[in-house]
Amino acid sequence: MHLHLRPGNEADVPNFVSTVLAAFSTNPIHQRCLPRDSDKAHAFWRDAFTEELKDPNAYFLVVEAQPSPSDSPSQPTLGSQTQPQPKSSSQPETPEPKAQKVDEDGEGVFVGFAKWNYIPADTVLPPLPDDDAWPAEPKLATYFFGMLNERHAGIMGGREHWYLELVCTKPEYMGRGAGKLLVNWGCQRADERGVEAYLDSTPDASARGVYEKFGFRTVESASFDEGRALEVDGVQGGYVTCFMLRSPMHVRGTGD
């Protein structure tokens, strides 16, 4: 078995929903606002992903598990696979490949996905959903996710960047390299543009460790504890979010 990266599409939405709900099933904030077993949470994610796929600056990436190269010599290996490319006219002008289809015999298995966003300079981040759109605890959702948006805007200060909004892997495929493929894709796009990459990380130390291997560093943090005010950097609490930034790395041939 090897892993294959391709662009996501509307047919992937059911897998996006089930994967994100499973990935955040132990996250206390998500379970209060977007509980896994709630029909409203399923509908919330389904509608959000369906709409976001239309955004020309949103890039959904899917990792599939496929037969090993020795079994299927025509399949690309990780080193030679065709990668999804930016599609906005303000980004490097590289053709976007067609999404490779999952094999009809079921050999292509959905493993995980990510959503990267290209954020042009001086972009105003989109507003949060209305209170009545949240499946549960709308005041908490607006407070917490609003804080994430505010920190994102404040840290980036209107600079052009790539934003890793979401990366999720099915539990049975954790630790097999899918997450690294998904993170690496956006880091490469940022390096090609010579711009920073940004993300906010859950309290999962193992996830932060992966991001750090790709050059992300924590620049701010916020502590949240049962509805109390979010504190300034470094304060310990029940739930700590880390805001991470990655500087662009030199890309050969860019003229640096």
Tab-separated table of all heavy atoms in Angstrom, residues 35-98:
chain	number	residue	atom	x	y	z
A	35	PRO	N	-21.280	18.394	18.336
A	35	PRO	CA	-21.221	17.020	18.847
A	35	PRO	C	-21.315	15.973	17.741
A	35	PRO	O	-22.119	16.095	16.812
A	35	PRO	CB	-22.430	16.943	19.793
A	35	PRO	CG	-23.312	18.075	19.399
A	35	PRO	CD	-22.427	19.145	18.855
A	36	ARG	N	-20.473	14.965	17.869
A	36	ARG	CA	-20.314	13.963	16.810
A	36	ARG	C	-21.619	13.272	16.442
A	36	ARG	O	-21.867	12.968	15.270
A	36	ARG	CB	-19.263	12.930	17.239
A	36	ARG	CG	-18.989	11.855	16.203
A	36	ARG	CD	-17.946	10.884	16.688
A	36	ARG	NE	-17.595	9.908	15.676
A	36	ARG	CZ	-16.696	8.941	15.836
A	36	ARG	NH1	-16.051	8.843	16.999
A	36	ARG	NH2	-16.442	8.088	14.857
A	37	ASP	N	-22.454	12.962	17.413
A	37	ASP	CA	-23.668	12.184	17.162
A	37	ASP	C	-24.878	13.049	16.809
A	37	ASP	O	-25.996	12.540	16.708
A	37	ASP	CB	-23.995	11.323	18.382
A	37	ASP	CG	-22.917	10.286	18.653
A	37	ASP	OD1	-22.277	9.843	17.680
A	37	ASP	OD2	-22.720	9.924	19.828
A	38	SER	N	-24.657	14.324	16.606
A	38	SER	CA	-25.758	15.240	16.309
A	38	SER	C	-26.013	15.308	14.804
A	38	SER	O	-25.091	15.547	14.017
A	38	SER	CB	-25.422	16.636	16.843
A	38	SER	OG	-26.254	17.610	16.281
A	39	ASP	N	-27.263	15.128	14.408
A	39	ASP	CA	-27.623	15.298	12.995
A	39	ASP	C	-27.342	16.714	12.532
A	39	ASP	O	-26.959	16.949	11.377
A	39	ASP	CB	-29.098	14.964	12.781
A	39	ASP	CG	-29.401	13.481	12.932
A	39	ASP	OD1	-28.451	12.670	12.837
A	39	ASP	OD2	-30.578	13.139	13.145
A	40	LYS	N	-27.529	17.680	13.440
A	40	LYS	CA	-27.269	19.068	13.084
A	40	LYS	C	-25.787	19.301	12.795
A	40	LYS	O	-25.435	20.097	11.914
A	40	LYS	CB	-27.742	19.999	14.202
A	40	LYS	CG	-29.254	20.077	14.344
A	40	LYS	CD	-29.642	21.082	15.415
A	40	LYS	CE	-31.158	21.214	15.542
A	40	LYS	NZ	-31.546	22.192	16.596
A	41	ALA	N	-24.913	18.618	13.536
A	41	ALA	CA	-23.483	18.759	13.286
A	41	ALA	C	-23.112	18.168	11.927
A	41	ALA	O	-22.302	18.732	11.180
A	41	ALA	CB	-22.672	18.088	14.389
A	42	HIS	N	-23.705	17.026	11.590
A	42	HIS	CA	-23.468	16.435	10.266
A	42	HIS	C	-23.888	17.403	9.169
A	42	HIS	O	-23.161	17.613	8.190
A	42	HIS	CB	-24.230	15.114	10.140
A	42	HIS	CG	-23.576	13.967	10.828
A	42	HIS	ND1	-22.905	12.973	10.154
A	42	HIS	CD2	-23.483	13.647	12.148
A	42	HIS	CE1	-22.435	12.086	11.012
A	42	HIS	NE2	-22.771	12.481	12.233
A	43	ALA	N	-25.079	17.983	9.322
A	43	ALA	CA	-25.587	18.912	8.314
A	43	ALA	C	-24.730	20.178	8.253
A	43	ALA	O	-24.481	20.727	7.166
A	43	ALA	CB	-27.039	19.266	8.620
A	44	PHE	N	-24.274	20.649	9.418
A	44	PHE	CA	-23.436	21.845	9.478
A	44	PHE	C	-22.174	21.649	8.648
A	44	PHE	O	-21.827	22.476	7.798
A	44	PHE	CB	-23.078	22.140	10.938
A	44	PHE	CG	-22.156	23.320	11.129
A	44	PHE	CD1	-22.671	24.576	11.386
A	44	PHE	CD2	-20.773	23.168	11.069
A	44	PHE	CE1	-21.828	25.664	11.575
A	44	PHE	CE2	-19.925	24.249	11.251
A	44	PHE	CZ	-20.450	25.505	11.511
A	45	TRP	N	-21.467	20.539	8.891
A	45	TRP	CA	-20.234	20.271	8.168
A	45	TRP	C	-20.502	20.006	6.695
A	45	TRP	O	-19.760	20.473	5.823
A	45	TRP	CB	-19.492	19.093	8.791
A	45	TRP	CG	-18.768	19.408	10.054
A	45	TRP	CD1	-19.022	18.917	11.294
A	45	TRP	CD2	-17.643	20.282	10.209
A	45	TRP	NE1	-18.134	19.421	12.213
A	45	TRP	CE2	-17.273	20.260	11.573
A	45	TRP	CE3	-16.916	21.076	9.336
A	45	TRP	CZ2	-16.210	21.006	12.064
A	45	TRP	CZ3	-15.850	21.830	9.824
A	45	TRP	CH2	-15.508	21.778	11.183
A	46	ARG	N	-21.559	19.254	6.389
A	46	ARG	CA	-21.883	18.960	4.980
A	46	ARG	C	-22.113	20.248	4.200
A	46	ARG	O	-21.552	20.441	3.122
A	46	ARG	CB	-23.137	18.088	4.925
A	46	ARG	CG	-23.574	17.697	3.503
A	46	ARG	CD	-25.023	17.251	3.515
A	46	ARG	NE	-25.920	18.337	3.893
A	46	ARG	CZ	-27.003	18.187	4.661
A	46	ARG	NH1	-27.341	17.009	5.148
A	46	ARG	NH2	-27.774	19.243	4.939
A	47	ASP	N	-22.915	21.136	4.758
A	47	ASP	CA	-23.225	22.383	4.058
A	47	ASP	C	-21.991	23.277	3.953
A	47	ASP	O	-21.774	23.939	2.918
A	47	ASP	CB	-24.349	23.124	4.790
A	47	ASP	CG	-25.671	22.376	4.742
A	47	ASP	OD1	-25.801	21.421	3.939
A	47	ASP	OD2	-26.573	22.742	5.528
A	48	ALA	N	-21.185	23.301	5.015
A	48	ALA	CA	-19.983	24.142	4.998
A	48	ALA	C	-19.000	23.664	3.931
A	48	ALA	O	-18.482	24.468	3.133
A	48	ALA	CB	-19.323	24.136	6.368
A	49	PHE	N	-18.726	22.369	3.902
A	49	PHE	CA	-17.774	21.844	2.923
A	49	PHE	C	-18.288	22.030	1.497
A	49	PHE	O	-17.521	22.381	0.590
A	49	PHE	CB	-17.495	20.367	3.182
A	49	PHE	CG	-16.694	20.094	4.424
A	49	PHE	CD1	-17.021	19.040	5.265
A	49	PHE	CD2	-15.610	20.885	4.762
A	49	PHE	CE1	-16.285	18.777	6.408
A	49	PHE	CE2	-14.863	20.641	5.909
A	49	PHE	CZ	-15.204	19.584	6.727
A	50	THR	N	-19.559	21.785	1.286
A	50	THR	CA	-20.134	21.937	-0.055
A	50	THR	C	-19.971	23.365	-0.554
A	50	THR	O	-19.621	23.597	-1.717
A	50	THR	CB	-21.621	21.545	-0.045
A	50	THR	OG1	-21.744	20.170	0.373
A	50	THR	CG2	-22.236	21.697	-1.424
A	51	GLU	N	-20.207	24.328	0.312
A	51	GLU	CA	-20.073	25.729	-0.071
A	51	GLU	C	-18.613	26.129	-0.243
A	51	GLU	O	-18.249	26.841	-1.197
A	51	GLU	CB	-20.738	26.610	0.988
A	51	GLU	CG	-20.801	28.088	0.606
A	51	GLU	CD	-21.647	28.357	-0.629
A	51	GLU	OE1	-22.567	27.557	-0.914
A	51	GLU	OE2	-21.374	29.362	-1.312
A	52	GLU	N	-17.740	25.670	0.651
A	52	GLU	CA	-16.332	26.067	0.611
A	52	GLU	C	-15.599	25.504	-0.604
A	52	GLU	O	-14.606	26.086	-1.055
A	52	GLU	CB	-15.640	25.633	1.903
A	52	GLU	CG	-16.100	26.441	3.118
A	52	GLU	CD	-15.739	25.801	4.446
A	52	GLU	OE1	-15.049	24.750	4.426
A	52	GLU	OE2	-16.151	26.332	5.483
A	53	LEU	N	-16.078	24.388	-1.138
A	53	LEU	CA	-15.460	23.838	-2.344
A	53	LEU	C	-15.587	24.791	-3.535
A	53	LEU	O	-14.837	24.670	-4.510
A	53	LEU	CB	-16.100	22.488	-2.693
A	53	LEU	CG	-15.578	21.280	-1.916
A	53	LEU	CD1	-16.551	20.109	-2.026
A	53	LEU	CD2	-14.199	20.867	-2.431
A	54	LYS	N	-16.511	25.725	-3.462
A	54	LYS	CA	-16.704	26.694	-4.545
A	54	LYS	C	-15.736	27.865	-4.460
A	54	LYS	O	-15.616	28.645	-5.419
A	54	LYS	CB	-18.142	27.218	-4.514
A	54	LYS	CG	-19.214	26.147	-4.633
A	54	LYS	CD	-20.605	26.746	-4.416
A	54	LYS	CE	-21.680	25.672	-4.395
A	54	LYS	NZ	-23.029	26.255	-4.104
A	55	ASP	N	-15.059	28.017	-3.348
A	55	ASP	CA	-14.149	29.141	-3.132
A	55	ASP	C	-12.872	28.923	-3.944
A	55	ASP	O	-12.168	27.934	-3.741
A	55	ASP	CB	-13.818	29.233	-1.638
A	55	ASP	CG	-12.912	30.397	-1.303
A	55	ASP	OD1	-12.381	31.053	-2.224
A	55	ASP	OD2	-12.702	30.645	-0.096
A	56	PRO	N	-12.527	29.825	-4.859
A	56	PRO	CA	-11.333	29.619	-5.689
A	56	PRO	C	-10.018	29.663	-4.914
A	56	PRO	O	-8.990	29.213	-5.422
A	56	PRO	CB	-11.407	30.775	-6.698
A	56	PRO	CG	-12.224	31.822	-6.018
A	56	PRO	CD	-13.234	31.074	-5.197
A	57	ASN	N	-10.040	30.182	-3.692
A	57	ASN	CA	-8.823	30.227	-2.882
A	57	ASN	C	-8.786	29.157	-1.798
A	57	ASN	O	-7.908	29.180	-0.931
A	57	ASN	CB	-8.659	31.606	-2.254
A	57	ASN	CG	-8.177	32.635	-3.263
A	57	ASN	OD1	-7.473	32.302	-4.214
A	57	ASN	ND2	-8.555	33.881	-3.072
A	58	ALA	N	-9.740	28.234	-1.835
A	58	ALA	CA	-9.762	27.111	-0.893
A	58	ALA	C	-9.320	25.850	-1.627
A	58	ALA	O	-9.811	25.550	-2.721
A	58	ALA	CB	-11.166	26.922	-0.321
A	59	TYR	N	-8.403	25.127	-1.023
A	59	TYR	CA	-7.831	23.934	-1.644
A	59	TYR	C	-8.039	22.733	-0.735
A	59	TYR	O	-7.445	22.648	0.344
A	59	TYR	CB	-6.338	24.148	-1.925
A	59	TYR	CG	-6.105	25.262	-2.898
A	59	TYR	CD1	-6.050	26.583	-2.456
A	59	TYR	CD2	-6.004	25.021	-4.258
A	59	TYR	CE1	-5.881	27.631	-3.346
A	59	TYR	CE2	-5.832	26.056	-5.161
A	59	TYR	CZ	-5.775	27.356	-4.707
A	59	TYR	OH	-5.621	28.387	-5.591
A	60	PHE	N	-8.902	21.833	-1.172
A	60	PHE	CA	-9.142	20.593	-0.440
A	60	PHE	C	-8.246	19.506	-1.032
A	60	PHE	O	-8.277	19.252	-2.238
A	60	PHE	CB	-10.610	20.170	-0.548
A	60	PHE	CG	-11.539	20.987	0.310
A	60	PHE	CD1	-12.038	22.197	-0.133
A	60	PHE	CD2	-11.916	20.532	1.570
A	60	PHE	CE1	-12.903	22.949	0.647
A	60	PHE	CE2	-12.786	21.270	2.367
A	60	PHE	CZ	-13.281	22.481	1.902
A	61	LEU	N	-7.456	18.873	-0.178
A	61	LEU	CA	-6.557	17.807	-0.586
A	61	LEU	C	-7.003	16.500	0.052
A	61	LEU	O	-7.365	16.476	1.228
A	61	LEU	CB	-5.109	18.087	-0.174
A	61	LEU	CG	-4.371	19.281	-0.784
A	61	LEU	CD1	-4.462	19.267	-2.295
A	61	LEU	CD2	-4.778	20.589	-0.188
A	62	VAL	N	-6.972	15.425	-0.701
A	62	VAL	CA	-7.368	14.111	-0.205
A	62	VAL	C	-6.193	13.149	-0.314
A	62	VAL	O	-5.487	13.135	-1.335
A	62	VAL	CB	-8.563	13.561	-1.010
A	62	VAL	CG1	-8.834	12.092	-0.663
A	62	VAL	CG2	-9.809	14.399	-0.755
A	63	VAL	N	-5.982	12.358	0.722
A	63	VAL	CA	-5.014	11.265	0.676
A	63	VAL	C	-5.780	9.956	0.578
A	63	VAL	O	-6.709	9.708	1.345
A	63	VAL	CB	-4.100	11.247	1.925
A	63	VAL	CG1	-3.237	9.997	1.942
A	63	VAL	CG2	-3.215	12.479	1.951
A	64	GLU	N	-5.387	9.133	-0.389
A	64	GLU	CA	-5.962	7.803	-0.552
A	64	GLU	C	-4.879	6.754	-0.355
A	64	GLU	O	-3.711	6.984	-0.671
A	64	GLU	CB	-6.552	7.635	-1.953
A	64	GLU	CG	-7.761	8.487	-2.233
A	64	GLU	CD	-8.230	8.349	-3.672
A	64	GLU	OE1	-7.485	7.749	-4.486
A	64	GLU	OE2	-9.338	8.820	-3.984
A	65	ALA	N	-5.284	5.601	0.146
A	65	ALA	CA	-4.403	4.435	0.210
A	65	ALA	C	-4.687	3.585	-1.011
A	65	ALA	O	-5.836	3.227	-1.281
A	65	ALA	CB	-4.665	3.647	1.486
A	66	GLN	N	-3.630	3.255	-1.746
A	66	GLN	CA	-3.768	2.468	-2.965
A	66	GLN	C	-2.766	1.327	-2.941
A	66	GLN	O	-1.863	1.292	-2.109
A	66	GLN	CB	-3.565	3.360	-4.188
A	66	GLN	CG	-4.628	4.439	-4.322
A	66	GLN	CD	-4.507	5.225	-5.601
A	66	GLN	OE1	-3.454	5.263	-6.224
A	66	GLN	NE2	-5.592	5.870	-6.008
A	67	PRO	N	-2.897	0.373	-3.864
A	67	PRO	CA	-1.954	-0.749	-3.897
A	67	PRO	C	-0.523	-0.269	-4.031
A	67	PRO	O	-0.261	0.809	-4.574
A	67	PRO	CB	-2.399	-1.542	-5.142
A	67	PRO	CG	-3.821	-1.168	-5.338
A	67	PRO	CD	-3.935	0.261	-4.904
A	68	SER	N	0.403	-1.043	-3.539
A	68	SER	CA	1.813	-0.670	-3.607
A	68	SER	C	2.263	-0.587	-5.057
A	68	SER	O	1.692	-1.227	-5.939
A	68	SER	CB	2.664	-1.695	-2.860
A	68	SER	OG	2.599	-2.945	-3.511
A	69	PRO	N	3.312	0.181	-5.354
A	69	PRO	CA	3.797	0.298	-6.725
A	69	PRO	C	4.150	-1.038	-7.357
A	69	PRO	O	4.006	-1.212	-8.561
A	69	PRO	CB	5.031	1.194	-6.581
A	69	PRO	CG	4.762	1.992	-5.347
A	69	PRO	CD	4.026	1.062	-4.423
A	70	SER	N	4.611	-1.991	-6.565
A	70	SER	CA	4.975	-3.290	-7.122
A	70	SER	C	3.761	-4.052	-7.625
A	70	SER	O	3.830	-4.834	-8.556
A	70	SER	CB	5.701	-4.125	-6.062
A	70	SER	OG	4.854	-4.335	-4.940
A	71	ASP	N	2.600	-3.797	-6.988
A	71	ASP	CA	1.371	-4.448	-7.425
A	71	ASP	C	0.717	-3.713	-8.582
A	71	ASP	O	0.060	-4.301	-9.425
A	71	ASP	CB	0.366	-4.527	-6.260
A	71	ASP	CG	0.864	-5.416	-5.145
A	71	ASP	OD1	1.654	-6.335	-5.436
A	71	ASP	OD2	0.480	-5.171	-3.988
A	72	SER	N	0.884	-2.384	-8.614
A	72	SER	CA	0.274	-1.570	-9.659
A	72	SER	C	1.331	-0.619	-10.208
A	72	SER	O	1.401	0.540	-9.820
A	72	SER	CB	-0.907	-0.778	-9.103
A	72	SER	OG	-1.891	-1.642	-8.575
A	73	PRO	N	2.205	-1.100	-11.110
A	73	PRO	CA	3.319	-0.281	-11.574
A	73	PRO	C	2.915	1.009	-12.258
A	73	PRO	O	3.699	1.933	-12.368
A	73	PRO	CB	4.052	-1.208	-12.552
A	73	PRO	CG	3.041	-2.248	-12.937
A	73	PRO	CD	2.171	-2.425	-11.732
A	74	SER	N	1.673	1.091	-12.730
A	74	SER	CA	1.253	2.309	-13.407
A	74	SER	C	0.896	3.433	-12.446
A	74	SER	O	0.747	4.570	-12.837
A	74	SER	CB	0.034	2.023	-14.300
A	74	SER	OG	-1.061	1.596	-13.518
A	75	GLN	N	0.741	3.094	-11.136
A	75	GLN	CA	0.375	4.103	-10.150
A	75	GLN	C	1.595	4.929	-9.764
A	75	GLN	O	2.700	4.404	-9.630
A	75	GLN	CB	-0.208	3.444	-8.893
A	75	GLN	CG	-1.507	2.712	-9.134
A	75	GLN	CD	-2.648	3.670	-9.405
A	75	GLN	OE1	-2.528	4.859	-9.111
A	75	GLN	NE2	-3.730	3.173	-9.964
A	76	PRO	N	1.440	6.242	-9.566
A	76	PRO	CA	2.577	7.075	-9.163
A	76	PRO	C	2.990	6.802	-7.730
A	76	PRO	O	2.165	6.481	-6.887
A	76	PRO	CB	2.026	8.498	-9.299
A	76	PRO	CG	0.549	8.349	-9.118
A	76	PRO	CD	0.209	6.998	-9.705
A	77	THR	N	4.284	6.904	-7.453
A	77	THR	CA	4.771	6.795	-6.086
A	77	THR	C	4.707	8.170	-5.451
A	77	THR	O	4.449	9.178	-6.111
A	77	THR	CB	6.228	6.295	-6.066
A	77	THR	OG1	7.033	7.259	-6.742
A	77	THR	CG2	6.341	4.955	-6.789
A	78	LEU	N	5.001	8.244	-4.164
A	78	LEU	CA	4.950	9.533	-3.476
A	78	LEU	C	5.925	10.524	-4.076
A	78	LEU	O	5.684	11.716	-4.095
A	78	LEU	CB	5.249	9.342	-1.992
A	78	LEU	CG	4.198	8.589	-1.193
A	78	LEU	CD1	4.624	8.530	0.264
A	78	LEU	CD2	2.844	9.247	-1.311
A	79	GLY	N	7.046	10.024	-4.569
A	79	GLY	CA	8.042	10.930	-5.108
A	79	GLY	C	7.707	11.473	-6.481
A	79	GLY	O	8.268	12.472	-6.914
A	80	SER	N	6.785	10.828	-7.204
A	80	SER	CA	6.509	11.247	-8.570
A	80	SER	C	5.066	11.616	-8.816
A	80	SER	O	4.680	11.926	-9.927
A	80	SER	CB	6.887	10.106	-9.530
A	80	SER	OG	6.068	8.974	-9.288
A	81	GLN	N	4.246	11.576	-7.761
A	81	GLN	CA	2.820	11.799	-7.955
A	81	GLN	C	2.524	13.208	-8.421
A	81	GLN	O	3.259	14.145	-8.154
A	81	GLN	CB	2.053	11.539	-6.665
A	81	GLN	CG	2.389	12.513	-5.557
A	81	GLN	CD	1.796	12.081	-4.246
A	81	GLN	OE1	0.938	11.247	-4.204
A	81	GLN	NE2	2.272	12.660	-3.171
A	82	THR	N	1.440	13.340	-9.160
A	82	THR	CA	0.962	14.657	-9.563
A	82	THR	C	0.272	15.314	-8.389
A	82	THR	O	-0.617	14.737	-7.798
A	82	THR	CB	-0.028	14.524	-10.733
A	82	THR	OG1	0.635	13.905	-11.834
A	82	THR	CG2	-0.535	15.893	-11.146
A	83	GLN	N	0.675	16.520	-8.057
A	83	GLN	CA	0.116	17.216	-6.911
A	83	GLN	C	-0.923	18.224	-7.374
A	83	GLN	O	-0.778	18.837	-8.432
A	83	GLN	CB	1.227	17.962	-6.168
A	83	GLN	CG	2.335	17.066	-5.687
A	83	GLN	CD	2.223	16.791	-4.213
A	83	GLN	OE1	1.389	17.358	-3.536
A	83	GLN	NE2	3.061	15.931	-3.702
A	84	PRO	N	-1.990	18.450	-6.583
A	84	PRO	CA	-2.928	19.527	-6.905
A	84	PRO	C	-2.190	20.861	-6.898
A	84	PRO	O	-1.297	21.080	-6.093
A	84	PRO	CB	-3.949	19.461	-5.770
A	84	PRO	CG	-3.775	18.101	-5.179
A	84	PRO	CD	-2.334	17.743	-5.371
A	85	GLN	N	-2.555	21.755	-7.804
A	85	GLN	CA	-1.853	23.015	-7.943
A	85	GLN	C	-2.775	24.193	-7.647
A	85	GLN	O	-3.992	24.093	-7.784
A	85	GLN	CB	-1.298	23.157	-9.371
A	85	GLN	CG	-0.276	22.086	-9.719
A	85	GLN	CD	0.985	22.216	-8.891
A	85	GLN	OE1	1.364	23.323	-8.507
A	85	GLN	NE2	1.644	21.104	-8.632
A	86	PRO	N	-2.217	25.335	-7.256
A	86	PRO	CA	-3.030	26.513	-7.025
A	86	PRO	C	-3.847	26.884	-8.248
A	86	PRO	O	-3.421	26.698	-9.375
A	86	PRO	CB	-1.984	27.596	-6.700
A	86	PRO	CG	-0.851	26.824	-6.121
A	86	PRO	CD	-0.817	25.544	-6.916
A	87	LYS	N	-5.041	27.466	-8.002
A	87	LYS	CA	-5.958	27.741	-9.097
A	87	LYS	C	-6.320	29.213	-9.222
A	87	LYS	O	-7.058	29.585	-10.114
A	87	LYS	CB	-7.235	26.921	-8.918
A	87	LYS	CG	-7.868	27.077	-7.538
A	87	LYS	CD	-8.871	25.977	-7.265
A	87	LYS	CE	-9.378	26.033	-5.834
A	87	LYS	NZ	-10.217	24.907	-5.489
A	88	SER	N	-5.842	30.055	-8.311
A	88	SER	CA	-6.157	31.474	-8.382
A	88	SER	C	-5.202	32.171	-9.344
A	88	SER	O	-4.013	31.864	-9.390
A	88	SER	CB	-6.053	32.122	-6.999
A	88	SER	OG	-6.134	33.518	-7.105
A	89	SER	N	-5.711	33.134	-10.082
A	89	SER	CA	-4.885	33.853	-11.034
A	89	SER	C	-3.786	34.655	-10.345
A	89	SER	O	-2.810	35.041	-10.976
A	89	SER	CB	-5.748	34.790	-11.881
A	89	SER	OG	-6.420	35.722	-11.051
A	90	SER	N	-3.927	34.909	-9.044
A	90	SER	CA	-2.925	35.676	-8.320
A	90	SER	C	-1.805	34.802	-7.791
A	90	SER	O	-0.885	35.271	-7.155
A	90	SER	CB	-3.578	36.416	-7.139
A	90	SER	OG	-4.133	35.494	-6.229
A	91	GLN	N	-1.857	33.503	-8.084
A	91	GLN	CA	-0.854	32.559	-7.629
A	91	GLN	C	-0.024	32.077	-8.805
A	91	GLN	O	-0.323	32.393	-9.958
A	91	GLN	CB	-1.538	31.394	-6.927
A	91	GLN	CG	-2.326	31.843	-5.704
A	91	GLN	CD	-3.220	30.751	-5.212
A	91	GLN	OE1	-2.782	29.639	-5.007
A	91	GLN	NE2	-4.487	31.049	-5.030
A	92	PRO	N	1.025	31.289	-8.563
A	92	PRO	CA	1.860	30.793	-9.659
A	92	PRO	C	1.008	30.120	-10.730
A	92	PRO	O	0.123	29.323	-10.433
A	92	PRO	CB	2.781	29.780	-8.956
A	92	PRO	CG	2.848	30.257	-7.556
A	92	PRO	CD	1.485	30.833	-7.259
A	93	GLU	N	1.276	30.431	-11.983
A	93	GLU	CA	0.442	29.947	-13.076
A	93	GLU	C	0.863	28.547	-13.493
A	93	GLU	O	1.548	28.342	-14.490
A	93	GLU	CB	0.521	30.920	-14.246
A	93	GLU	CG	-0.063	32.287	-13.917
A	93	GLU	CD	-0.035	33.218	-15.091
A	93	GLU	OE1	0.424	32.791	-16.170
A	93	GLU	OE2	-0.458	34.360	-14.938
A	94	THR	N	0.450	27.560	-12.738
A	94	THR	CA	0.699	26.173	-13.052
A	94	THR	C	-0.630	25.499	-13.310
A	94	THR	O	-1.609	25.758	-12.614
A	94	THR	CB	1.418	25.455	-11.895
A	94	THR	OG1	0.712	25.724	-10.687
A	94	THR	CG2	2.843	25.964	-11.753
A	95	PRO	N	-0.717	24.644	-14.321
A	95	PRO	CA	-2.006	24.030	-14.656
A	95	PRO	C	-2.495	23.128	-13.545
A	95	PRO	O	-1.708	22.451	-12.890
A	95	PRO	CB	-1.692	23.225	-15.937
A	95	PRO	CG	-0.219	22.958	-15.860
A	95	PRO	CD	0.369	24.173	-15.183
A	96	GLU	N	-3.797	23.140	-13.331
A	96	GLU	CA	-4.396	22.284	-12.309
A	96	GLU	C	-4.718	20.924	-12.909
A	96	GLU	O	-5.476	20.828	-13.875
A	96	GLU	CB	-5.680	22.912	-11.772
A	96	GLU	CG	-6.343	22.073	-10.698
A	96	GLU	CD	-7.642	22.689	-10.245
A	96	GLU	OE1	-8.024	23.734	-10.798
A	96	GLU	OE2	-8.289	22.119	-9.360
A	97	PRO	N	-4.141	19.827	-12.389
A	97	PRO	CA	-4.433	18.515	-12.943
A	97	PRO	C	-5.833	18.064	-12.595
A	97	PRO	O	-6.413	18.503	-11.605
A	97	PRO	CB	-3.392	17.613	-12.252
A	97	PRO	CG	-3.141	18.297	-10.954
A	97	PRO	CD	-3.250	19.780	-11.239
A	98	LYS	N	-6.355	17.193	-13.402
A	98	LYS	CA	-7.651	16.612	-13.088
A	98	LYS	C	-7.516	15.695	-11.876
A	98	LYS	O	-6.507	15.015	-11.707
A	98	LYS	CB	-8.170	15.818	-14.286
A	98	LYS	CG	-8.464	16.681	-15.507
A	98	LYS	CD	-8.972	15.827	-16.653
A	98	LYS	CE	-9.272	16.692	-17.872
A	98	LYS	NZ	-9.740	15.873	-19.016
